[in-house]
Coordinates of all heavy atoms in Angstrom, one line a residue:
M1 N 8.4 10.5 10.7 CA 7.4 10.4 9.6 C 7.9 10.9 8.3 O 8.4 12.0 8.3 CB 6.1 11.1 10.0 CG 5.1 11.3 8.9 SD 4.0 9.9 8.5 CE 3.1 9.7 10.0
P2 N 7.9 10.1 7.3 CA 8.4 10.6 6.0 C 7.6 11.7 5.5 O 6.3 11.7 5.7 CB 8.3 9.4 5.1 CG 8.2 8.2 6.0 CD 7.6 8.7 7.2
Q3 N 8.2 12.7 4.8 CA 7.4 13.8 4.2 C 7.8 14.0 2.7 O 9.0 13.6 2.4 CB 7.7 15.1 5.0 CG 7.2 15.0 6.4 CD 7.4 16.3 7.1 OE1 8.3 17.1 6.7 NE2 6.6 16.6 8.1
R4 N 6.9 14.5 1.9 CA 7.2 14.8 0.5 C 8.2 16.0 0.4 O 8.1 16.9 1.3 CB 6.0 15.1 -0.2 CG 5.0 13.9 -0.3 CD 3.9 14.3 -1.2 NE 3.0 13.2 -1.3 CZ 3.1 12.1 -2.1 NH1 4.2 12.1 -2.9 NH2 2.3 11.2 -2.1
I5 N 9.0 15.9 -0.6 CA 10.0 17.0 -0.8 C 9.3 18.2 -1.4 O 9.6 19.4 -1.0 CB 11.2 16.5 -1.7 CG1 11.9 15.4 -0.9 CG2 12.1 17.7 -2.1 CD1 13.0 14.7 -1.7
D6 N 8.4 18.1 -2.4 CA 7.7 19.2 -2.9 C 6.3 18.9 -3.1 O 5.8 17.8 -3.0 CB 8.4 19.6 -4.3 CG 8.2 18.6 -5.4 OD1 7.0 18.2 -5.6 OD2 9.2 18.2 -6.0
G7 N 5.5 19.9 -3.5 CA 4.0 19.7 -3.6 C 3.5 19.7 -5.0 O 2.3 19.9 -5.3
S8 N 4.4 19.4 -6.0 CA 3.9 19.5 -7.4 C 3.3 18.1 -7.8 O 3.5 17.1 -7.2 CB 5.1 19.8 -8.3 OG 6.1 18.8 -8.2
G9 N 2.6 18.1 -8.9 CA 2.1 16.9 -9.5 C 0.6 16.8 -9.3 O 0.0 17.3 -8.4
E10 N 0.0 16.1 -10.3 CA -1.5 15.9 -10.3 C -1.9 15.1 -9.1 O -1.2 14.1 -8.8 CB -1.9 15.3 -11.6 CG -3.4 14.9 -11.7 CD -3.7 14.0 -12.9 OE1 -2.8 13.7 -13.7 OE2 -4.8 13.7 -13.0
T11 N -3.0 15.4 -8.4 CA -3.4 14.6 -7.3 C -4.5 13.6 -7.8 O -5.4 14.0 -8.6 CB -4.1 15.5 -6.3 OG1 -3.1 16.4 -5.8 CG2 -4.6 14.7 -5.1
I12 N -4.3 12.4 -7.4 CA -5.3 11.4 -7.7 C -5.8 10.8 -6.3 O -5.1 10.9 -5.3 CB -4.8 10.2 -8.6 CG1 -3.6 9.5 -7.9 CG2 -4.4 10.8 -10.0 CD1 -3.1 8.3 -8.7
R13 N -6.9 10.2 -6.3 CA -7.5 9.6 -5.1 C -7.9 8.2 -5.2 O -8.5 7.8 -6.2 CB -8.7 10.5 -4.6 CG -8.3 12.0 -4.4 CD -9.4 12.8 -3.9 NE -9.0 14.2 -4.0 CZ -8.2 14.8 -3.1 NH1 -7.7 14.1 -2.2 NH2 -7.9 16.1 -3.3
F14 N -7.6 7.4 -4.1 CA -8.1 6.1 -4.0 C -8.4 5.8 -2.6 O -8.2 6.7 -1.7 CB -7.0 5.1 -4.6 CG -5.8 5.0 -3.8 CD1 -5.6 4.0 -2.8 CD2 -4.7 5.9 -4.0 CE1 -4.4 4.0 -2.1 CE2 -3.5 5.9 -3.3 CZ -3.4 4.9 -2.3
T15 N -9.0 4.6 -2.3 CA -9.4 4.4 -0.9 C -8.5 3.2 -0.4 O -8.1 2.3 -1.1 CB -10.8 3.9 -0.8 OG1 -11.1 2.8 -1.5 CG2 -11.8 5.1 -1.2
F16 N -8.2 3.4 0.9 CA -7.5 2.3 1.7 C -8.2 2.1 3.0 O -8.4 3.0 3.8 CB -6.0 2.8 2.0 CG -5.3 1.8 2.8 CD1 -4.9 0.6 2.3 CD2 -4.9 2.1 4.1 CE1 -4.2 -0.4 3.0 CE2 -4.2 1.1 4.9 CZ -3.8 -0.1 4.4
E17 N -8.7 0.9 3.1 CA -9.5 0.5 4.3 C -10.7 1.6 4.5 O -11.0 1.9 5.6 CB -8.7 0.5 5.6 CG -7.6 -0.6 5.5 CD -8.3 -2.0 5.7 OE1 -9.3 -2.2 6.3 OE2 -7.7 -3.0 5.0
G18 N -11.3 2.0 3.4 CA -12.4 2.9 3.4 C -12.0 4.4 3.6 O -12.8 5.3 3.5
R19 N -10.7 4.7 3.8 CA -10.2 6.1 3.9 C -9.7 6.6 2.6 O -9.0 5.9 1.9 CB -9.1 6.1 4.9 CG -8.4 7.4 5.0 CD -7.2 7.4 5.9 NE -6.5 8.7 5.8 CZ -5.2 8.8 6.1 NH1 -4.5 7.8 6.5 NH2 -4.6 10.0 6.0
E20 N -10.1 7.8 2.2 CA -9.7 8.4 1.0 C -8.2 8.8 1.1 O -7.8 9.5 2.1 CB -10.5 9.6 0.6 CG -10.1 10.1 -0.8 CD -11.0 11.3 -1.2 OE1 -10.7 12.4 -0.9 OE2 -12.0 11.0 -1.9
I21 N -7.4 8.3 0.2 CA -6.0 8.7 0.2 C -5.7 9.5 -1.1 O -6.0 9.2 -2.2 CB -5.1 7.4 0.1 CG1 -5.4 6.4 1.2 CG2 -3.6 7.7 0.0 CD1 -5.0 6.9 2.6
A22 N -5.0 10.6 -0.9 CA -4.6 11.5 -2.0 C -3.1 11.1 -2.3 O -2.3 11.0 -1.5 CB -4.6 12.9 -1.6
A23 N -2.9 10.8 -3.6 CA -1.6 10.5 -4.1 C -1.3 11.4 -5.3 O -2.1 12.0 -5.8 CB -1.6 9.0 -4.6
R24 N 0.0 11.4 -5.6 CA 0.4 12.1 -6.8 C 0.5 11.1 -8.0 O 0.9 10.0 -7.8 CB 1.8 12.7 -6.6 CG 1.7 13.9 -5.8 CD 3.0 14.7 -5.9 NE 3.2 15.5 -4.6 CZ 4.3 15.6 -4.0 NH1 5.4 15.1 -4.5 NH2 4.4 16.3 -2.9
A25 N 0.2 11.6 -9.2 CA 0.3 10.7 -10.3 C 1.7 10.2 -10.4 O 2.7 11.0 -10.2 CB 0.0 11.5 -11.6
G26 N 1.9 8.9 -10.5 CA 3.2 8.3 -10.5 C 3.6 7.7 -9.2 O 4.6 6.9 -9.2
D27 N 3.0 8.0 -8.1 CA 3.3 7.4 -6.8 C 3.0 5.9 -6.9 O 1.9 5.5 -7.5 CB 2.4 8.0 -5.7 CG 2.9 9.3 -5.2 OD1 4.0 9.8 -5.6 OD2 2.1 9.8 -4.3
T28 N 3.7 5.1 -6.2 CA 3.3 3.7 -6.0 C 2.3 3.8 -4.9 O 2.2 4.8 -4.1 CB 4.4 2.8 -5.6 OG1 5.0 3.3 -4.3 CG2 5.5 2.8 -6.6
I29 N 1.5 2.7 -4.8 CA 0.5 2.7 -3.7 C 1.2 2.7 -2.4 O 0.8 3.5 -1.5 CB -0.3 1.4 -3.8 CG1 -1.2 1.5 -5.1 CG2 -1.2 1.2 -2.6 CD1 -1.9 0.2 -5.5
A30 N 2.3 2.0 -2.2 CA 3.0 2.1 -0.9 C 3.5 3.5 -0.6 O 3.4 3.9 0.6 CB 4.2 1.1 -1.0
A31 N 4.1 4.2 -1.5 CA 4.6 5.5 -1.3 C 3.4 6.4 -0.9 O 3.5 7.2 0.1 CB 5.2 6.1 -2.5
A32 N 2.3 6.3 -1.5 CA 1.1 7.1 -1.2 C 0.6 6.8 0.2 O 0.2 7.7 1.0 CB 0.0 6.9 -2.2
L33 N 0.6 5.5 0.6 CA 0.1 5.1 1.9 C 1.1 5.7 3.0 O 0.6 6.2 4.0 CB 0.0 3.6 2.0 CG -1.2 3.0 1.1 CD1 -1.1 1.5 1.3 CD2 -2.5 3.6 1.6
I34 N 2.3 5.5 2.8 CA 3.3 6.0 3.8 C 3.2 7.5 3.9 O 3.2 8.0 5.0 CB 4.7 5.6 3.4 CG1 4.9 4.1 3.5 CG2 5.8 6.4 4.2 CD1 6.2 3.6 2.9
A35 N 3.0 8.2 2.8 CA 2.9 9.7 2.9 C 1.6 10.1 3.6 O 1.5 11.2 4.2 CB 2.9 10.3 1.5
A36 N 0.6 9.2 3.6 CA -0.7 9.5 4.3 C -0.6 9.0 5.7 O -1.6 9.1 6.4 CB -1.8 8.8 3.5
G37 N 0.5 8.4 6.2 CA 0.6 7.9 7.5 C 0.1 6.5 7.8 O 0.0 6.1 8.9
E38 N -0.1 5.8 6.7 CA -0.6 4.4 6.8 C 0.6 3.5 6.6 O 1.1 3.3 5.5 CB -1.7 4.1 5.7 CG -2.9 4.9 5.9 CD -3.8 4.4 7.0 OE1 -3.5 3.3 7.6 OE2 -4.9 5.0 7.2
T39 N 1.1 2.9 7.6 CA 2.4 2.1 7.5 C 2.1 0.6 7.6 O 3.0 -0.1 7.3 CB 3.4 2.6 8.6 OG1 2.7 2.4 9.9 CG2 3.8 4.0 8.4
A40 N 0.9 0.2 8.0 CA 0.6 -1.2 8.1 C -0.2 -1.6 6.9 O -1.3 -1.2 6.8 CB -0.1 -1.6 9.4
T41 N 0.3 -2.5 6.1 CA -0.4 -2.9 4.9 C -0.9 -4.3 4.9 O -1.7 -4.7 4.1 CB 0.5 -2.7 3.6 OG1 1.7 -3.4 3.8 CG2 0.8 -1.2 3.3
R42 N -0.3 -5.1 5.8 CA -0.8 -6.5 5.9 C -0.6 -7.0 7.3 O 0.0 -6.3 8.2 CB 0.0 -7.4 4.9 CG 1.4 -7.6 5.3 CD 2.1 -8.6 4.3 NE 3.4 -9.0 4.7 CZ 3.7 -10.0 5.5 NH1 2.8 -10.8 5.9 NH2 5.0 -10.3 5.8
Q43 N -1.0 -8.2 7.5 CA -0.8 -8.9 8.8 C 0.2 -10.1 8.6 O 0.1 -10.7 7.6 CB -2.1 -9.5 9.4 CG -3.1 -8.5 9.8 CD -4.4 -9.2 10.2 OE1 -4.9 -10.1 9.6 NE2 -4.9 -8.8 11.4
S44 N 1.0 -10.3 9.6 CA 1.8 -11.5 9.6 C 1.0 -12.8 9.5 O 0.0 -12.9 10.3 CB 2.7 -11.5 10.8 OG 3.3 -12.8 11.0
V45 N 1.3 -13.7 8.7 CA 0.5 -15.0 8.6 C 0.8 -15.8 9.9 O 0.1 -16.8 10.2 CB 0.8 -15.8 7.3 CG1 0.3 -15.0 6.1 CG2 2.3 -16.1 7.2
V46 N 1.9 -15.6 10.6 CA 2.3 -16.4 11.7 C 1.6 -15.8 13.0 O 0.9 -16.6 13.7 CB 3.8 -16.4 11.9 CG1 4.1 -17.1 13.2 CG2 4.5 -17.1 10.7
S47 N 1.7 -14.5 13.2 CA 1.2 -14.0 14.5 C 0.0 -13.0 14.3 O -0.6 -12.6 15.3 CB 2.3 -13.2 15.2 OG 2.7 -12.1 14.4
G48 N -0.2 -12.6 13.1 CA -1.2 -11.5 12.9 C -0.7 -10.1 13.1 O -1.5 -9.2 13.1
A49 N 0.6 -10.0 13.5 CA 1.1 -8.7 13.7 C 1.1 -7.8 12.5 O 1.3 -8.3 11.4 CB 2.6 -8.8 14.2
P50 N 1.0 -6.5 12.7 CA 1.0 -5.6 11.5 C 2.4 -5.6 10.8 O 3.4 -5.6 11.5 CB 0.6 -4.2 12.1 CG 1.0 -4.3 13.5 CD 0.8 -5.8 13.9
R51 N 2.4 -5.6 9.5 CA 3.6 -5.5 8.7 C 3.4 -4.3 7.7 O 2.3 -4.0 7.4 CB 3.9 -6.8 8.0 CG 3.8 -8.0 8.8 CD 4.9 -8.1 9.8 NE 6.2 -8.1 9.2 CZ 7.3 -8.6 9.7 NH1 7.3 -9.0 11.0 NH2 8.5 -8.6 9.1
G52 N 4.5 -3.8 7.2 CA 4.4 -2.7 6.3 C 5.6 -2.7 5.3 O 6.6 -3.4 5.5
P53 N 5.5 -1.8 4.3 CA 6.6 -1.7 3.3 C 7.9 -1.5 3.9 O 8.1 -0.7 4.9 CB 6.2 -0.5 2.5 CG 4.7 -0.3 2.7 CD 4.4 -0.8 4.1
F54 N 8.9 -2.2 3.4 CA 10.3 -2.2 4.0 C 11.3 -1.8 2.9 O 12.0 -0.8 2.9 CB 10.7 -3.5 4.6 CG 12.0 -3.5 5.2 CD1 12.3 -2.8 6.4 CD2 13.0 -4.3 4.7 CE1 13.6 -2.8 6.9 CE2 14.3 -4.3 5.2 CZ 14.6 -3.6 6.3
C55 N 11.4 -2.6 1.8 CA 12.4 -2.4 0.8 C 12.0 -1.4 -0.3 O 12.9 -0.7 -0.8 CB 12.8 -3.7 0.1 SG 11.6 -4.4 -1.0
M56 N 10.7 -1.3 -0.5 CA 10.2 -0.4 -1.6 C 10.7 -0.7 -3.0 O 10.8 0.2 -3.8 CB 10.4 1.1 -1.2 CG 9.8 1.5 0.1 SD 8.0 1.4 0.0 CE 7.6 2.9 -0.9
M57 N 11.2 -1.9 -3.2 CA 11.7 -2.3 -4.5 C 11.3 -3.7 -4.9 O 12.0 -4.3 -5.7 CB 13.2 -2.1 -4.6 CG 14.0 -2.9 -3.6 SD 15.8 -2.4 -3.9 CE 16.5 -3.7 -2.8
G58 N 10.3 -4.3 -4.3 CA 9.8 -5.6 -4.8 C 10.5 -6.8 -4.3 O 10.2 -7.9 -4.8
V59 N 11.3 -6.7 -3.2 CA 12.0 -7.8 -2.8 C 11.5 -8.5 -1.5 O 11.4 -9.7 -1.4 CB 13.5 -7.4 -2.5 CG1 14.3 -8.6 -1.9 CG2 14.2 -6.9 -3.8
C60 N 11.0 -7.7 -0.6 CA 10.7 -8.3 0.7 C 9.2 -8.8 0.9 O 9.0 -9.6 1.8 CB 10.9 -7.2 1.8 SG 9.7 -5.9 1.9
F61 N 8.3 -8.4 0.1 CA 6.9 -8.8 0.1 C 6.2 -8.4 1.4 O 5.2 -8.9 1.8 CB 6.8 -10.3 -0.2 CG 7.0 -10.6 -1.6 CD1 8.3 -10.7 -2.1 CD2 6.0 -10.9 -2.5 CE1 8.5 -11.0 -3.5 CE2 6.2 -11.2 -3.8 CZ 7.5 -11.3 -4.3
E62 N 6.8 -7.4 2.1 CA 6.1 -6.9 3.3 C 4.9 -6.0 3.0 O 4.2 -5.7 3.9 CB 7.1 -6.2 4.2 CG 8.2 -7.1 4.8 CD 7.7 -8.1 5.8 OE1 6.5 -8.1 6.1 OE2 8.5 -8.8 6.4
C63 N 4.8 -5.6 1.8 CA 3.8 -4.6 1.4 C 2.5 -5.1 0.8 O 1.8 -4.4 0.2 CB 4.4 -3.5 0.5 SG 4.9 -4.3 -1.1
L64 N 2.3 -6.4 0.9 CA 1.2 -7.1 0.2 C -0.1 -6.5 0.6 O -0.4 -6.3 1.8 CB 1.2 -8.6 0.4 CG 2.4 -9.3 -0.2 CD1 2.3 -10.8 0.2 CD2 2.5 -9.1 -1.7
V65 N -1.0 -6.2 -0.4 CA -2.3 -5.6 -0.1 C -3.3 -6.3 -1.1 O -2.9 -7.1 -2.0 CB -2.3 -4.1 -0.4 CG1 -1.5 -3.3 0.7 CG2 -1.9 -3.8 -1.8
E66 N -4.5 -6.0 -0.8 CA -5.6 -6.5 -1.8 C -6.0 -5.3 -2.6 O -6.3 -4.2 -2.0 CB -6.7 -7.1 -1.0 CG -7.8 -7.6 -1.9 CD -8.9 -8.3 -1.1 OE1 -8.6 -9.3 -0.3 OE2 -10.1 -7.9 -1.2
I67 N -6.0 -5.4 -3.9 CA -6.4 -4.2 -4.8 C -7.6 -4.7 -5.6 O -7.5 -5.6 -6.3 CB -5.2 -3.8 -5.7 CG1 -4.0 -3.4 -4.9 CG2 -5.7 -2.7 -6.6 CD1 -2.8 -3.2 -5.7
D68 N -8.7 -4.0 -5.4 CA -9.9 -4.3 -6.1 C -10.3 -5.7 -6.0 O -10.6 -6.4 -7.0 CB -9.9 -3.8 -7.6 CG -9.9 -2.3 -7.7 OD1 -10.4 -1.6 -6.8 OD2 -9.4 -1.8 -8.7
G69 N -10.1 -6.3 -4.8 CA -10.5 -7.7 -4.6 C -9.4 -8.7 -4.9 O -9.7 -9.9 -4.7
V70 N -8.3 -8.3 -5.5 CA -7.2 -9.2 -5.8 C -6.1 -9.2 -4.8 O -5.5 -8.2 -4.6 CB -6.6 -8.9 -7.2 CG1 -5.5 -9.9 -7.6 CG2 -7.7 -8.9 -8.3
P71 N -5.9 -10.3 -4.0 CA -4.9 -10.3 -3.0 C -3.5 -10.5 -3.5 O -3.3 -10.8 -4.7 CB -5.3 -11.5 -2.1 CG -5.9 -12.5 -3.1 CD -6.6 -11.6 -4.1
N72 N -2.5 -10.4 -2.6 CA -1.1 -10.7 -2.9 C -0.5 -9.7 -3.9 O 0.3 -10.1 -4.7 CB -0.9 -12.1 -3.4 CG -1.4 -13.1 -2.4 OD1 -1.1 -12.9 -1.2 ND2 -2.0 -14.2 -2.8
R73 N -0.9 -8.4 -3.9 CA -0.3 -7.4 -4.8 C 0.7 -6.6 -4.0 O 0.5 -6.2 -2.9 CB -1.4 -6.5 -5.3 CG -2.6 -7.2 -5.9 CD -2.3 -8.0 -7.2 NE -1.5 -7.4 -8.2 CZ -2.0 -6.6 -9.1 NH1 -3.3 -6.5 -9.3 NH2 -1.2 -6.0 -10.0
Q74 N 1.8 -6.4 -4.6 CA 2.9 -5.6 -4.0 C 2.6 -4.1 -4.2 O 2.8 -3.6 -5.2 CB 4.3 -6.0 -4.6 CG 4.7 -7.4 -4.3 CD 6.0 -7.7 -5.0 OE1 6.0 -8.0 -6.2 NE2 7.1 -7.7 -4.3
A75 N 2.3 -3.5 -3.1 CA 2.0 -2.1 -3.1 C 3.1 -1.2 -3.6 O 2.9 -0.1 -4.1 CB 1.5 -1.6 -1.7
C76 N 4.4 -1.7 -3.4 CA 5.5 -0.8 -3.7 C 5.8 -0.9 -5.2 O 6.6 -0.2 -5.7 CB 6.8 -1.2 -2.9 SG 7.5 -2.8 -3.4
M77 N 5.2 -1.9 -5.9 CA 5.5 -2.1 -7.4 C 4.3 -1.6 -8.3 O 4.4 -1.7 -9.5 CB 5.8 -3.5 -7.6 CG 7.0 -4.1 -6.8 SD 8.5 -3.1 -7.1 CE 8.9 -3.6 -8.8
I78 N 3.2 -1.2 -7.7 CA 2.0 -0.9 -8.4 C 1.7 0.6 -8.3 O 1.6 1.1 -7.2 CB 0.9 -1.8 -8.0 CG1 1.2 -3.2 -8.2 CG2 -0.4 -1.4 -8.7 CD1 0.2 -4.2 -7.7
E79 N 1.5 1.3 -9.4 CA 1.2 2.7 -9.4 C -0.2 2.9 -8.9 O -1.1 2.2 -9.3 CB 1.4 3.2 -10.8 CG 1.5 4.7 -10.9 CD 1.9 5.2 -12.3 OE1 3.0 4.7 -12.8 OE2 1.2 5.9 -12.9
A80 N -0.4 3.9 -8.1 CA -1.7 4.3 -7.6 C -2.5 4.8 -8.8 O -2.0 5.5 -9.7 CB -1.6 5.4 -6.6
A81 N -3.8 4.4 -8.8 CA -4.7 4.8 -9.9 C -6.0 5.4 -9.3 O -6.4 4.9 -8.2 CB -5.0 3.6 -10.8
P82 N -6.6 6.3 -10.0 CA -7.8 6.9 -9.4 C -8.9 5.9 -9.3 O -9.1 5.0 -10.1 CB -8.2 7.9 -10.5 CG -7.0 8.2 -11.3 CD -6.2 6.9 -11.3
G83 N -9.5 5.9 -8.1 CA -10.7 5.1 -7.8 C -10.5 3.7 -7.4 O -11.4 2.9 -7.1
I84 N -9.2 3.2 -7.3 CA -9.0 1.8 -6.9 C -9.3 1.7 -5.4 O -9.3 2.6 -4.7 CB -7.5 1.3 -7.2 CG1 -6.5 2.2 -6.4 CG2 -7.3 1.3 -8.7 CD1 -5.1 1.6 -6.5
T85 N -9.7 0.5 -5.0 CA -10.0 0.1 -3.6 C -8.9 -0.8 -3.1 O -8.7 -1.9 -3.6 CB -11.3 -0.5 -3.5 OG1 -12.3 0.4 -4.0 CG2 -11.6 -0.9 -2.1
V86 N -8.2 -0.3 -2.1 CA -7.0 -1.1 -1.5 C -7.4 -1.4 -0.1 O -7.9 -0.6 0.7 CB -5.7 -0.2 -1.6 CG1 -4.6 -1.0 -1.0 CG2 -5.4 0.2 -3.0
T87 N -7.1 -2.7 0.3 CA -7.3 -3.1 1.7 C -6.1 -3.8 2.2 O -5.3 -4.3 1.4 CB -8.6 -4.0 1.8 OG1 -8.4 -5.1 1.0 CG2 -9.9 -3.3 1.5
R88 N -6.0 -3.9 3.5 CA -4.9 -4.6 4.1 C -5.0 -6.1 3.7 O -6.1 -6.6 3.7 CB -4.9 -4.5 5.6 CG -4.4 -3.2 6.1 CD -4.1 -3.2 7.6 NE -3.7 -1.9 7.9 CZ -4.4 -0.9 8.3 NH1 -5.7 -1.1 8.5 NH2 -3.9 0.3 8.5
Q89 N -3.9 -6.8 3.5 CA -3.9 -8.2 3.4 C -4.0 -8.9 4.7 O -3.1 -8.6 5.6 CB -2.7 -8.7 2.6 CG -2.7 -10.2 2.4 CD -2.3 -10.6 1.0 OE1 -2.6 -9.9 0.0 NE2 -1.7 -11.7 0.9
T90 N -5.0 -9.7 5.0 CA -5.2 -10.3 6.3 C -4.4 -11.6 6.4 O -4.0 -12.2 5.4 CB -6.7 -10.5 6.6 OG1 -7.2 -11.3 5.6 CG2 -7.4 -9.2 6.6
A91 N -4.2 -12.1 7.6 CA -3.4 -13.2 7.8 C -4.0 -14.5 7.2 O -3.3 -15.5 7.0 CB -3.2 -13.4 9.3
D92 N -5.3 -14.5 7.0 CA -5.9 -15.7 6.4 C -5.8 -15.8 4.9 O -6.2 -16.8 4.3 CB -7.4 -15.8 6.9 CG -8.2 -14.7 6.4 OD1 -7.7 -13.6 6.0 OD2 -9.5 -14.8 6.5
E93 N -5.3 -14.8 4.2 CA -5.1 -14.9 2.8 C -3.7 -15.5 2.5 O -2.7 -15.1 3.1 CB -5.2 -13.5 2.2 CG -6.6 -12.9 2.3 CD -6.6 -11.4 1.8 OE1 -5.8 -10.6 2.3 OE2 -7.4 -11.2 0.9
V94 N -3.7 -16.5 1.6 CA -2.5 -17.2 1.4 C -1.6 -16.5 0.3 O -2.1 -16.0 -0.7 CB -2.8 -18.6 0.8 CG1 -1.5 -19.4 0.5 CG2 -3.6 -19.4 1.8
V95 N -0.3 -16.4 0.6 CA 0.6 -15.8 -0.3 C 0.9 -16.8 -1.4 O 1.3 -17.9 -1.2 CB 1.9 -15.4 0.4 CG1 2.9 -14.8 -0.6 CG2 1.6 -14.4 1.5
A96 N 0.7 -16.4 -2.7 CA 0.9 -17.2 -3.8 C 2.4 -17.3 -4.2 O 3.1 -16.4 -4.0 CB 0.1 -16.8 -5.0
Ligands
FES101 S1 8.2 -3.1 0.2 FE1 9.4 -4.8 -0.2 S2 8.4 -5.8 -1.7 FE2 7.2 -4.0 -1.4

């Protein structure tokens, strides 16, 4: 399980699948989710299997989530913000 190196930084909170997630200011959504133990961010469109962040640099698209009702957002490229609502991208949502 990945762990943070230090405990400094302002804490912000958002929700993921209804769970409150604490992140540090400047964290990407993917980094905050991994730090919170949430490794599955979407479902495979082929099998429905859980998928999660892999490259953490915007290349693989394994980290797609829905943010405030908008699907197909890359969690590794978007900074966490206070109060946002993040959900897993389900297999029935089409990748644009
Ligand atoms: S983890 Fe690869 S694009 Fe986000």
Side-chain angles (χ1 to χ4, degrees):
M1 166 79 65
Q3 294 183 335
R4 293 186 180 280
I5 295 173
D6 68 52
S8 63
E10 176 191 356
T11 299
I12 60 172
R13 299 181 191 287
F14 65 96
T15 61
F16 177 70
E17 295 290 328
R19 175 187 171 202
E20 185 176 87
I21 303 293
R24 285 195 206 139
D27 279 354
T28 64
I29 292 169
L33 291 176
I34 291 170
E38 297 282 359
T39 56
T41 54
R42 72 174 185 93
Q43 292 177 314
S44 164
V45 294
V46 175
S47 67
R51 309 294 296 202
F54 181 70
C55 72
M56 297 297 281
M57 60 182 190
V59 176
C60 73
F61 288 76
E62 294 289 4
C63 63
L64 294 179
V65 292
E66 184 175 305
I67 302 172
D68 290 337
V70 180
N72 302 319
R73 306 300 309 272
Q74 289 175 283
C76 72
M77 301 302 290
I78 299 171
E79 196 170 301
I84 61 173
T85 300
V86 181
T87 57
R88 286 191 179 93
Q89 179 135 326
T90 58
D92 60 345
E93 294 174 303
V94 177
V95 176

